[in-house]
Amino acid sequence: MRESGRIWLGIFLMLILTISKTPAQNIWSDVSLDRNSAYVGQPIEVTISVYTSTWFTQGLDIGNIKVNGAFTVYFRPVTTSYTEDGVTYSGVKQIYHVFPYTEQDITFPELDIVVESPAPGEYKGRKQTVKTQPKPIRVKPRPSKFSESDWLVASGMSVTERWTGIAGNPDGKKVKVGDVLERSISRTVAGTVSELIPPIAWDSVEHVSLYPSRSEVNNNKTKTEISASRTDHISYLFEKEGEVVFPEVVLTWYNPYRNQLYKRTLKEIRVQVEPNPDLGMLASVRDSLAAQQDELAKEDLLEDKPFTILGISPEKFVALSVGVVLVFIFLIRVLRKMITMQKKRRASYLASELYYFHEFKKSLASKDDKSIASKLYRWLDALDLEQPSATYFAKRYGSATLQDQVAEMESKWDNGGQFSALDWKEWESARKNYLKRGVVLKTGWINPV
């Protein structure tokens, strides 16, 4: 017996050692930032890494990530691997750039990443979900010497200017009152998104009406870099003769990597405006430009105004509709339950002693002895009486008056006579005396006292 026990113990220990040597699957994720603080508009590179001790049977698809208070741009995946303690781990990195647009601190959110990878010794992938930790990011306020409307973080910017109209390039040219010049300033900015490029702040010009039009914006992204462009347009309507001076336009950007401010200046433009005898044309052009402004304002209002259903957002409408449907379903169920309960109560009532007692009461009004006798004894039959007779009931639970009435009634009925002078209150009082005993009736209906 001792030798047998040693053998089984050895087998058990070998099994434990075999299991302990079986490599366990190890999957984990990590989120790293290239910086923990940034200015408004300064990109933070976020790298999301996922590793497995085997391999990935499907690519990772994290998708778009929403960061409150920031724009998020996905760049590219990068495959990687490393070896530790003799085990090689396969990894995939997903790279994003996050651009804060508010001076409030932001948080890169925690993520639930679905990974498909086989366990060691297997070949079929198993789906698992790994969680990442949220990453706080401190947003530094812009330096006080910069206005919010001029603040732009970029690694570089190019600027082009174009004038169109009857005068072409207006510098040194002559125009007449009522003429219109169109001006465009285009900026191509490296290291940002178009939403962060501030619009041109057009300076007012004496004796000239300004009519800005819609800007054109675009984002350009490669696997490693992003840039954006913005073109702002304006129309100038000359309304009085004389020299008109368009002041210089100074465009600035801040390079956080060099901690340096850059500026680009578009030089001042002078235009000589000649008189125009046809002043009616001035009014016509003014009206046309004003109409164009109204149309642009309406289009902008439609674009800015969120889509609504019955005055509320689609999300709220869906939530409200779901709530209404759920309430309606609940009410239907409650109504069905009430109807079912009412039917059961009705069916129970129709089989109860109380129902037959009410039928007996109705028969008294008919003055028909046959009906009275039938209803009376049907009710007495529903009671738990040792003797289901009117005489027994009256003697056991009724008053002397009721007993006399029943005796007279039975006597006349036995002799073929009629007797309808039953006192309802006496029967009701006797029934109460009966119910005080708490008797369970034959039908199972328990009447209240």
Side-chain angles (χ1 to χ4, degrees):
M1 291 295 292
R2 291 182 179 178
E3 187 66 25
S4 176
R6 291 194 186 98
I7 293 174
W8 282 110
L9 179 60
I11 294 174
F12 177 74
L13 291 175
M14 290 178 64
L15 181 62
I16 293 296
L17 289 173
T18 302
I19 293 174
S20 65
K21 289 181 180 179
T22 301
Q25 187 180 23
N26 196 3
I27 297 178
W28 76 96
S29 62
D30 179 59
V31 174
S32 61
L33 312 178
D34 68 340
R35 59 179 56 85
N36 295 319
S37 63
Y39 289 108
V40 172
Q42 182 180 359
I44 301 104
E45 184 173 282
V46 181
T47 302
I48 303 170
S49 305
V50 182
Y51 293 94
T52 176
S53 58
T54 55
W55 63 88
F56 297 106
T57 53
Q58 280 193 359
L60 299 183
D61 184 13
I62 301 176
N64 295 326
I65 299 174
K66 181 180 180 181
V67 179
N68 292 330
F71 299 110
T72 306
V73 178
Y74 172 68
F75 272 83
R76 66 194 184 279
V78 177
T79 58
T80 184
S81 66
Y82 78 94
T83 302
E84 182 180 358
D85 297 332
V87 179
T88 300
Y89 295 91
S90 302
V92 176
K93 296 181 177 181
Q94 303 272 17
I95 299 176
Y96 293 79
H97 280 190
V98 175
F99 298 83
Y101 59 76
T102 172
E103 291 190 355
Q104 302 294 325
D105 293 345
I106 62 176
T107 300
F108 191 84
E110 68 175 27
L111 304 173
D112 291 331
I113 305 174
V114 178
V115 180
E116 189 169 303
S117 176
E122 298 182 3
Y123 65 92
K124 187 175 182 180
R126 297 182 180 180
K127 284 190 176 181
Q128 297 186 51
T129 300
V130 292
K131 283 184 173 290
T132 65
Q133 295 296 319
K135 294 288 184 178
I137 300 172
R138 186 175 69 88
V139 181
K140 298 184 290 187
R142 56 180 170 76
S144 57
K145 60 182 178 180
F146 294 99
S147 66
E148 184 176 356
S149 60
D150 294 333
W151 177 251
L152 174 62
V153 175
S155 56
M157 183 171 74
S158 62
V159 182
T160 58
E161 180 182 23
R162 182 185 180 191
W163 290 81
T164 57
I166 62 169
N169 186 342
D171 192 17
K173 304 293 183 180
K174 294 182 179 181
V175 296
K176 302 189 300 296
V177 173
D179 285 344
V180 175
L181 286 180
E182 296 177 357
R183 185 184 191 183
S184 300
I185 297 178
S186 300
R187 288 166 288 173
T188 301
V189 186
T192 191
V193 291
S194 61
E195 292 85 351
L196 293 172
I197 304 176
I200 298 292
W202 303 107
D203 290 325
S204 60
V205 181
E206 191 174 7
H207 306 313
V208 176
S209 294
L210 280 62
Y211 298 92
S213 57
R214 182 174 287 107
S215 301
E216 300 169 9
V217 296
N218 190 35
N219 288 314
N220 305 290
K221 181 175 70 69
T222 66
K223 290 184 177 180
T224 58
E225 296 179 345
I226 188 170
S227 64
S229 61
R230 180 184 181 110
T231 302
D232 294 283
H233 306 276
I234 192 170
S235 297
Y236 295 114
L237 172 61
F238 299 95
E239 298 194 346
K240 192 174 182 179
E241 61 186 87
E243 186 182 54
V244 171
V245 179
F246 294 96
E248 65 181 17
V249 177
V250 179
L251 302 171
T252 61
W253 71 93
Y254 177 74
N255 190 324
Y257 310 104
R258 298 183 179 180
N259 194 25
Q260 188 172 348
L261 176 68
Y262 294 85
K263 63 174 61 178
R264 172 72 185 276
T265 302
L266 301 178
K267 65 179 182 178
E268 173 187 284
I269 299 291
R270 295 178 177 270
V271 177
Q272 188 64 38
V273 182
E274 299 293 335
N276 187 349
D278 186 7
L279 294 181
M281 183 187 71
L282 173 62
S284 176
V285 174
R286 185 189 294 119
D287 292 342
S288 176
L289 291 173
Q292 293 178 16
Q293 290 285 294
D294 291 341
E295 287 299 319
L296 288 174
K298 290 179 181 178
E299 292 176 5
D300 291 339
L301 181 61
L302 290 175
E303 290 180 0
D304 295 338
K305 186 177 180 181
F307 174 71
T308 62
I309 303 174
L310 299 178
I312 59 178
S313 66
E315 294 82 4
K316 290 184 178 179
F317 179 79
V318 170
L320 182 61
S321 300
V322 171
V324 170
V325 170
L326 291 177
V327 170
F328 180 74
I329 293 174
F330 173 76
L331 292 177
I332 290 296
R333 289 181 176 178
V334 170
L335 183 60
R336 286 181 176 177
K337 188 174 181 179
M338 291 177 63
I339 293 174
T340 302
M341 290 177 62
Q342 186 64 26
K343 287 181 177 179
K344 289 181 178 180
R345 289 179 63 87
R346 179 64 179 170
S348 182
Y349 167 71
L350 293 177
S352 71
E353 165 271 343
L354 181 61
Y355 169 73
Y356 296 119
F357 186 63
H358 288 162
E359 291 294 304
F360 169 49
K361 180 180 178 180
K362 292 178 183 177
S363 69
L364 294 178
S366 68
K367 305 297 183 180
D368 181 358
D369 284 4
K370 289 184 179 181
S371 176
I372 293 173
S374 173
K375 301 296 184 182
L376 171 60
Y377 280 96
R378 183 61 187 89
W379 167 58
L380 292 174
D381 189 55
L383 303 180
D384 189 21
L385 299 175
E386 294 180 6
Q387 300 178 23
S389 67
T391 301
Y392 176 83
F393 179 80
K395 183 178 180 180
R396 182 71 182 272
Y397 303 106
S399 64
T401 303
L402 181 61
Q403 294 176 31
D404 292 342
Q405 287 183 10
V406 170
E408 185 178 356
M409 175 188 71
E410 294 284 2
S411 175
K412 288 190 176 183
W413 284 353
D414 289 343
N415 296 320
Q418 293 186 353
F419 182 81
S420 303
L422 295 178
D423 189 344
W424 169 252
K425 291 185 179 180
E426 292 293 335
W427 288 98
E428 193 170 37
S429 177
R431 178 178 176 273
K432 288 181 179 179
N433 292 334
Y434 168 81
L435 295 177
K436 286 179 180 179
R437 298 173 58 86
V439 179
V440 178
L441 307 181
K442 291 180 180 179
T443 58
W445 175 280
I446 301 179
N447 295 85
V449 176

